[in-house]
Amino acid sequence: MLTLQRGQGPVDGDHYLGADPAAVHWGLLPNADSEPSLTVDSGASVTLDTISHEGILGDQGRDPAAFFGAAGIPRRDLLRDTVELAAGPHPHDPVVHGPHVVTGPVAVRGARPGDVLEVEVLRLRRRTGYGVVSSRHARGALPGEYPLAPPGHPEGVPVPPVSLLATVGEDGRGRLPVGDGRELAFPLRPFLGIMGVAPDACEPVHSVPPGRHGGNLDVRLLGEGARLRLPVQVPLALFYAGDPHFAQGDGEVALTAFEAPLRATVRLTLHQGAADRALAAALRAPFAETADEHLLLGLDEDLNEAVKYAVRDALTFLDHRCGIPGPVALAYLSAAADFHVSQVVDLVKGVHCRLSKADLAPLLLRRPV
């Protein structure tokens, strides 16, 4: 089984940052007071090792050797940085902290508030051949219904999490045992659930809710080739990444998806022109693009409001980039754009709008940057 240990194997970027305990944050995101683990120039590519939180959390015993061993994964196939983090002194209180582990932050020289940091996802390598899908804490799309209580479970006692081991088959597809000898097979679509910049705050920043800083966006389209644009909040930007996935369906309805560690290479590029800064300031959330689409995000605790924010940001984008007036832009969105539920499990729910680049290319304004 593939095991890509820290400091071993291919490094695709100009710089490398391993997920050793000194370079990760567990449950809290970097903030304005955080010290960078690495400093790079705009345009540099950075390879970061990321750790999945599944298998190290307290409700799983905080002992990955025991947790994964019970599922048939031998100790030799465990990542050493995962074992070190679980065994180390990092405090993790689920009342105070989120579950996620993020690597960083990475400072970008010259970044100042109001700039836009473009994160281009160049390469995502699997660090293991296994991961976990979990349902827990009466959360997810069906709180109070799942996870199911085991037979004889005392009434009024919290139901333990249900964490299912998923693996990567020889055909490169995900495999999830049904429990009767059969397996569900599905395609892998690796991406980082968390990419963000430090918010302009000195207080602790919980890792779960996404926001204007990015963070736990959980948009599955942000895989290789995607470009996420984050409005810089503090000097040096302080970029971080984590919450790696091998696959996720839109919605992420169980609570987690196929959570598993990745070695990610990203290019960090600053955009400091007036047009870029004006668009980022006008939008309520980060925005992104793939090879074929522009992505506008809506974020709110109320899913209906998240849809409205995604529509409003799409209208703003069409105005700034194409000069399309609101009534025409709204008609276009209704006729041709798709709005997908990114996730419903991160306290702040997410919706992403998908705009065709082919449709918009003839209308793009040539504005000075």
Side-chain angles (χ1 to χ4, degrees):
M1 182 180 291
L2 165 74
T3 307
L4 200 55
Q5 298 286 1
R6 181 178 69 227
Q8 298 178 2
V11 171
D12 302 295
D14 302 324
H15 306 271
Y16 171 71
L17 183 60
D20 62 84
V24 301
H25 294 245
W26 189 2
L28 298 175
L29 301 180
N31 64 12
D33 292 334
S34 297
E35 292 295 326
S37 299
L38 178 69
T39 300
V40 303
D41 292 322
S42 174
S45 58
V46 181
T47 297
L48 308 97
D49 281 343
T50 63
I51 291 175
S52 175
H53 54 277
E54 289 293 332
I56 67 172
L57 294 173
D59 63 11
Q60 296 168 327
R62 195 165 168 166
D63 183 349
F67 177 83
F68 287 112
I73 303 298
R75 184 178 289 271
R76 67 176 180 273
D77 290 331
L78 300 179
L79 291 174
R80 287 191 290 273
D81 47 26
T82 301
V83 174
E84 290 172 5
L85 180 63
H90 274 65
H92 190 265
D93 180 352
V95 175
V96 177
H97 303 98
H100 310 100
V101 182
V102 299
T103 305
V106 177
V108 183
R109 293 185 181 93
R112 63 187 193 272
D115 292 345
V116 179
L117 181 66
E118 176 187 294
V119 183
E120 181 184 3
V121 183
L122 300 175
R123 185 68 186 265
L124 297 170
R125 295 180 182 271
R126 297 191 302 270
R127 298 188 65 204
T128 64
Y130 60 89
V132 176
V133 185
S134 284
S135 174
R136 56 161 63 86
H137 304 325
R139 290 182 58 195
L142 298 175
E145 299 179 50
Y146 284 83
L148 297 176
H153 189 74
E155 186 174 349
V157 176
V159 177
V162 174
S163 297
L164 303 180
L165 185 82
T167 58
V168 179
E170 293 183 0
D171 58 358
R173 291 165 62 83
R175 301 280 176 170
L176 187 64
V178 175
D180 58 5
R182 296 178 296 160
E183 290 183 321
L184 283 161
F186 53 92
L188 300 183
R189 291 184 286 258
F191 76 101
L192 295 167
I194 290 179
M195 291 187 284
V197 292
D200 186 13
C202 297
E203 62 270 15
V205 182
H206 198 278
S207 73
V208 170
R212 188 167 161 74
H213 59 280
N216 192 27
L217 296 170
D218 274 335
V219 176
R220 69 175 182 85
L221 297 175
L222 298 180
E224 288 185 359
R227 298 170 186 252
L228 175 65
R229 291 180 173 85
L230 298 159
V232 174
Q233 314 283 298
V234 301
L236 301 178
L238 299 182
F239 170 78
Y240 50 85
D243 189 28
H245 296 69
F246 284 4
Q248 178 190 298
D250 283 337
E252 199 180 23
V253 294
L255 177 60
T256 85
F258 190 174
E259 315 279 327
L262 294 169
R263 176 167 291 177
T265 300
V266 298
R267 188 180 307 281
L268 302 177
T269 304
L270 284 175
H271 296 277
Q272 300 178 305
D276 292 305
R277 290 170 64 92
L279 175 59
L283 296 175
R284 293 174 176 266
F287 58 110
E289 65 178 278
T290 66
D292 301 316
E293 295 175 317
H294 297 288
L295 306 176
L296 288 308
L297 311 184
L299 302 171
D300 196 86
E301 293 181 9
D302 184 319
L303 187 57
N304 289 329
E305 293 300 313
V307 173
K308 292 178 184 179
Y309 287 140
V311 173
R312 291 173 184 139
D313 268 15
L315 293 174
T316 299
F317 180 87
L318 291 170
D319 176 27
H320 276 248
R321 286 289 176 87
C322 302
I324 301 174
V328 177
L330 185 63
Y332 169 73
L333 294 179
S334 196
D338 291 321
F339 288 79
H340 291 245
V341 176
S342 314
Q343 53 76 23
V344 295
V345 299
D346 294 332
L347 303 180
V348 171
K349 298 174 176 64
V351 171
H352 55 275
C353 169
R354 302 171 66 171
L355 300 178
S356 168
K357 285 185 173 180
D359 289 356
L360 301 180
L363 284 76
L364 290 175
L365 299 175
R366 304 304 175 190
R367 289 175 171 168
V369 297

